[in-house]
């Protein structure tokens, strides 16, 4: 019997190896694609992808089969569990655990893919390779849009790791780790970071913040950056820092598959996402807000916020001082609000207090959203009135302070408190990617070595650099991450599902909502087959 492509039509569906609900395999969710072999009055027989943990900790996909067998208590008939893929109406949004950074995957019902950011390590590339399988140099996976909210490495350096996976040598067993892509559109905010050092009178010196993005002009008391880029392949590499140069190298390779539409986005550029409109997905570009200088668009240099809690009244603002490159690139993130049916998603990049004030004053009504990708990994640099204007029901914080260099104490307690206080519901859903991950205790282990230094000492190396001095490190107590903290949201415009994995494959944290009109979300019972 020929297999029929279908999608799951209930919130969650448990897959069993046997038709008597024995040999549990995995749980599928609303909108997941499967191939159906047979639908009887008792079960649905399917072919699907399973995932197995390898000895190196990576997760390998493999083709398998199984049965979805609804219980009598669920009152779900097998014929209700799936529907043909051409009737798919589910928008899928995954907030991927990339540690300290952001990485989101949006997939429309018809399979159009939008990537927002990509972290700064290989985690995003590995996730995408497992999800979009069987790509090759001759048949790359088409990405309809690659959006980098802003030019901080923790938001886009991981995209270059996708390109790196194309060139890495894997044995036959590990070739699934490779992903070949072709991004048809690449959107960004126009700010390209210069190298952190420059040569002055033959000496290397730190580049001052005011020179980090190129040419600036004064407008009143404000400093406006006018060197905004469009086509990233046309930018001189001497004007790019190391992460930008690595990304450009990847873009050069991907451009060999076909033309790439490069575009600098600013508030009002809603037409950039017209390719989603035929599926009923409306997208507004809310930021960055540009300042005109001599008829030319520019971005205002933002300053440093005062220390401590920014307790101000709605009409007031704290004093922001100096010129801060980091606050400027964050505050001018590309901000999207996406609507599908009765639900809105707000993707807020790394917005900070000063930028949130500007956006709120432009139009607080345009901010209200049911699902909120919280800015800047839960930083304390936020405007409480901005959060109040969003009034989220579901908030997702992407964070992961995995090293002392990246330790920012994210998310901050004040921000989490504000998300709860200013939600429009009594029991808001607040999820943090690193907190919904699962760590397994491994116990005491001793580091292994595979290199010898010139002095004969044992040492472990990574990319040619010493990372562990074996004699000094010695035995240590270890944990392994067995479930990454991915937050998955599914909606057909009338019903919305939010769920995460746990250390136990069958156990999920899951919430369902319905909405009869825009903005009125009501909790609903989870439909599990």
């Amino acid at each position: 019997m020929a297999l029929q492509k279908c999608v799951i039509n209930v919130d969650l569906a448990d897959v069993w190896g046997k038709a008597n609900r024995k040999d549990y395999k995995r749980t599928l969710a609303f909108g997941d694609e499967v191939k159906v072999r047979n639908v009887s009055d008792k079960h649905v027989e399917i072919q699907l992808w399973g995932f197995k943990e390898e000895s190196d900790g990576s997760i390998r996909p493999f083709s398998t089969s199984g049965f979805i067998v609804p219980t009598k208590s669920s009152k779900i008939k097998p014929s209700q569990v799936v529907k043909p893929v051409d009737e798919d109406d589910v928008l899928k949004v995954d907030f991927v655990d990339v540690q300290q950074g952001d990485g989101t995957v949006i997939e429309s019902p018809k399979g159009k893919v939008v990537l927002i950011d990509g972290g700064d390590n290989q985690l995003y590339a590995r996730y995408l390779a497992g999800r979009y399988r069987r790509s090759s140099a001759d048949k790359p996976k088409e990405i309809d849009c690659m959006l980098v909210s802003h030019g901080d490495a923790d938001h886009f350096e991981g995209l270059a790791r996708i390109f790196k996976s194309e060139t890495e040598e894997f044995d036959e067993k590990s070739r699934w780790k490779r992903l070949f892509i072709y991004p048809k559109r690449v959107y960004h905010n126009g700010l390209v970071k210069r190298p952190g050092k420059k040569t002055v009178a033959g000496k290397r010196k730190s580049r001052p913040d005011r020179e980090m993005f190129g040419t600036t002009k004064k407008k009143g008391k404000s400093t406006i950056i006018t060197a905004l880029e469009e086509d990233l392949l046309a930018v001189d590499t001497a004007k790019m820092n190391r992460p930008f140069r690595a990304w450009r190298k990847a873009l050069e390779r991907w451009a060999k598959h076909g033309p790439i539409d490069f575009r600098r986005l600013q508030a009002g550029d809603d037409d950039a996402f017209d390719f989603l409109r035929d599926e009923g997905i409306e997208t507004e570009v809310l930021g960055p807000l540009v300042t005109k200088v001599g008829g030319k668009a520019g971005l205002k240099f933002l300053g440093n916020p005062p220390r401590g809690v920014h307790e101000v009244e709605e009409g007031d603002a704290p004093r922001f001082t100096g010129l801060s490159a980091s606050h400027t690139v964050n505050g001018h993130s590309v901000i999207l609000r996406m609507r599908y049916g009765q639900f809105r998603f707000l993707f807020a990049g790394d917005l900070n207090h000063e930028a949130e004030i500007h956006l709120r004053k432009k139009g607080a009504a345009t901010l209200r959203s049911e699902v909120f990708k919280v800015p800047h990994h839960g930083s304390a640099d936020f405007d409480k009135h901005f959060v109040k204007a969003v009034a989220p029901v579901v908030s997702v914080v992407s964070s992961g302070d995995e090293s002392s260099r990246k330790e920012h104490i994210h998310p901050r307690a004040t921000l989490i408190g504000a998300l709860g206080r200013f939600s429009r519901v009594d029991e808001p859903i607040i999820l943090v990617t690193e907190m919904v991950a699962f760590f397994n205790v491994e116990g005491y282990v001793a580091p292994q070595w595979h290199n010898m230094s010139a002095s004969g000492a044992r040492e472990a190396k990574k990319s040619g650099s010493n990372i562990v001095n074996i004699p000094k490190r010695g035995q240590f107590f270890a944990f392994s991450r067995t479930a990454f903290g991915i937050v998955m949201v599914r909606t057909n415009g009338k019903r919305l599902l939010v769920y995460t994995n746990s250390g136990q494959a069958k156990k999920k944290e899951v919430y369902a909502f319905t909405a009869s009109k825009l903005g009125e979300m009501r909790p609903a019972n989870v439909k599990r087959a």
Side-chain angles (χ1 to χ4, degrees):
M1 181 184 296
L3 300 176
Q4 181 184 15
K5 283 188 176 182
C6 293
V7 292
I8 299 299
N9 194 40
V10 294
D11 293 336
L12 296 177
D14 295 329
V15 181
W16 305 88
K18 299 178 181 178
N20 59 354
R21 292 181 65 89
K22 300 291 185 180
D23 184 22
Y24 170 79
K25 287 183 174 287
R26 61 175 296 206
T27 298
L28 298 172
F30 196 29
D32 283 349
E33 188 172 314
V34 295
K35 291 182 179 179
V36 174
R37 190 181 306 278
N38 179 51
V39 179
S40 72
D41 59 349
K42 293 183 179 180
H43 61 251
V44 182
E45 186 177 359
I46 63 172
Q47 183 176 309
L48 73 160
W49 288 94
F51 296 90
K52 179 183 178 182
E53 183 176 356
E54 298 293 284
S55 58
D56 64 356
S58 59
I59 305 298
R60 177 176 62 85
F62 65 95
S63 181
T64 186
S65 60
F67 298 85
I68 300 174
V69 189
T71 60
K72 290 183 179 180
S73 61
S74 72
K75 298 182 180 179
I76 297 173
K77 297 179 180 179
S79 59
Q80 297 173 318
V81 171
V82 294
K83 65 180 180 181
V85 72
D86 57 6
E87 296 178 17
D88 185 14
D89 58 355
V90 178
L91 175 69
K92 297 183 274 288
V93 181
D94 286 3
F95 301 93
V96 182
D97 179 12
V98 293
Q99 289 292 281
Q100 179 59 34
D102 269 18
T104 302
V105 183
I106 301 171
E107 186 173 323
S108 75
K110 292 183 179 179
K112 293 172 185 171
V113 177
V114 177
L115 305 182
I116 302 182
D117 298 329
D120 69 353
N121 53 42
Q122 80 281 7
L123 294 178
Y124 197 62
R126 288 287 188 267
Y127 170 78
L128 292 173
R131 178 167 175 172
Y132 300 115
R133 300 165 291 273
R134 296 176 175 171
S135 64
S136 67
D138 296 329
K139 293 183 178 180
K141 169 64 181 177
E142 285 194 358
I143 304 299
D144 294 271
C145 178
M146 177 182 286
L147 168 65
V148 171
S149 65
H150 65 290
D152 266 347
D154 63 329
H155 285 252
F156 76 95
E157 192 172 7
L159 298 172
R161 298 296 186 100
I162 299 174
F163 166 66
K164 186 178 180 182
S165 79
E166 295 184 12
T167 60
E168 288 178 333
E169 292 294 331
F170 291 114
D171 58 30
E172 193 65 30
K173 287 178 58 180
S174 300
R175 294 183 72 177
W176 55 267
K177 295 180 181 180
R178 301 178 75 178
L179 173 66
F180 297 83
I181 67 170
Y182 163 44
K184 297 162 66 175
R185 301 169 183 84
V186 172
Y187 297 158
H188 55 97
N189 71 351
L191 295 176
V192 174
K193 276 188 174 180
R194 271 50 175 174
K197 299 281 187 179
K198 66 175 184 175
T199 302
V200 180
K203 296 182 179 180
R204 298 291 288 169
K205 294 187 175 182
S206 295
R207 189 183 301 274
D209 279 24
R210 73 165 56 244
E211 298 178 8
M212 193 57 71
F213 307 109
T215 308
T216 62
K217 291 185 178 180
K218 295 291 290 185
K219 184 172 184 178
K221 295 182 179 180
S222 299
T223 299
I224 311 300
I225 303 163
T226 56
L228 304 183
E229 306 292 350
E230 193 93 28
D231 183 351
L232 296 175
L233 294 182
V235 181
D236 186 348
T237 55
K239 297 180 179 179
M240 293 179 159
N241 66 6
R242 183 193 56 77
F244 266 100
R245 290 196 301 272
W247 187 34
R248 179 195 162 109
K249 185 177 180 181
L251 292 170
E252 288 173 345
R253 173 64 182 86
W254 295 332
K256 293 181 180 180
H257 294 303
I260 297 177
D261 177 19
F262 288 96
R263 184 165 177 180
R264 175 186 65 80
L265 295 187
Q266 64 186 51
D269 284 344
D270 303 352
D271 66 303
F273 295 91
D274 281 352
F275 64 92
L276 295 172
R277 291 182 66 86
D278 65 335
E279 297 188 60
I281 302 170
E282 300 177 6
T283 308
E284 302 169 87
V285 181
L286 305 182
L289 302 175
V290 299
T291 301
K292 291 293 182 98
V293 182
K296 188 177 181 179
L299 294 175
K300 178 186 174 183
F301 240 111
L302 304 182
N304 295 295
R307 293 185 178 182
V309 178
H310 309 161
E311 190 65 36
V312 294
E313 296 304 317
E314 190 161 355
D316 299 328
R319 179 182 171 86
F320 300 94
T321 58
L323 300 179
S324 169
S326 62
H327 284 87
T328 297
V329 73
N330 286 336
H332 290 305
S333 296
V334 176
I335 308 304
L336 302 182
R337 187 171 72 159
M338 186 175 286
R339 176 181 173 181
Y340 186 55
Q342 309 305 331
F343 302 102
R344 294 162 295 192
F345 295 75
L346 183 63
F347 303 95
D350 269 6
L351 281 180
N352 48 36
H353 195 161
E354 186 173 4
E356 288 172 1
I357 290 173
H358 296 321
L359 278 169
R360 173 170 54 83
K361 287 184 176 180
K362 184 182 178 184
T366 64
L367 298 172
R368 192 173 177 87
S369 302
E370 287 65 59
V371 181
F372 184 30
K373 200 297 293 183
V374 177
H376 205 182
H377 325 295
S379 165
D381 187 13
F382 71 94
D383 172 31
K384 68 178 183 180
H385 304 293
F386 179 88
V387 179
K388 185 177 181 180
V390 178
V393 177
V394 177
S395 298
V396 180
V397 180
S398 180
S399 66
D401 296 332
E402 76 270 23
S403 69
S404 58
R405 183 176 67 83
K406 298 179 180 181
E407 176 57 73
H408 303 293
I409 319 178
H410 289 159
R412 291 297 179 94
T414 51
L415 181 279
I416 295 296
L419 292 173
R421 178 184 178 189
F422 296 118
S423 173
R424 78 191 74 160
V425 297
D426 293 335
E427 295 184 2
I429 308 301
I430 303 172
L431 296 166
V432 183
T433 54
E434 64 179 315
M435 291 180 67
V436 297
F438 179 80
F439 293 86
N440 188 59
V441 175
E442 298 291 349
Y444 284 100
V445 299
Q448 302 297 310
W449 63 279
H450 53 87
N451 282 285
M452 194 79 74
S453 70
S455 63
R458 295 174 299 174
E459 58 187 15
K461 289 191 174 184
K462 181 178 180 181
S463 301
S465 300
N466 297 345
I467 59 171
V468 177
N469 184 308
I470 299 298
K472 288 185 178 180
R473 187 64 181 90
Q475 193 179 56
F476 60 94
F477 196 83
F479 295 82
S480 63
R481 181 180 299 229
T482 61
F484 284 84
I486 301 174
V487 178
M488 292 154 282
V489 182
R490 305 287 184 263
T491 180
N492 62 0
K494 299 177 182 178
R495 185 177 185 85
L496 186 138
L497 181 77
V498 184
Y499 71 103
T500 70
N501 295 315
S502 72
Q504 299 180 40
K506 194 176 179 181
K507 187 176 290 186
K508 311 291 179 186
E509 182 174 13
V510 55
Y511 306 93
F513 300 88
T514 59
S516 56
K517 66 179 183 178
L518 184 65
E520 290 192 2
M521 288 176 67
R522 294 195 178 104
N525 292 326
V526 174
K527 299 177 181 178
R528 186 164 189 164

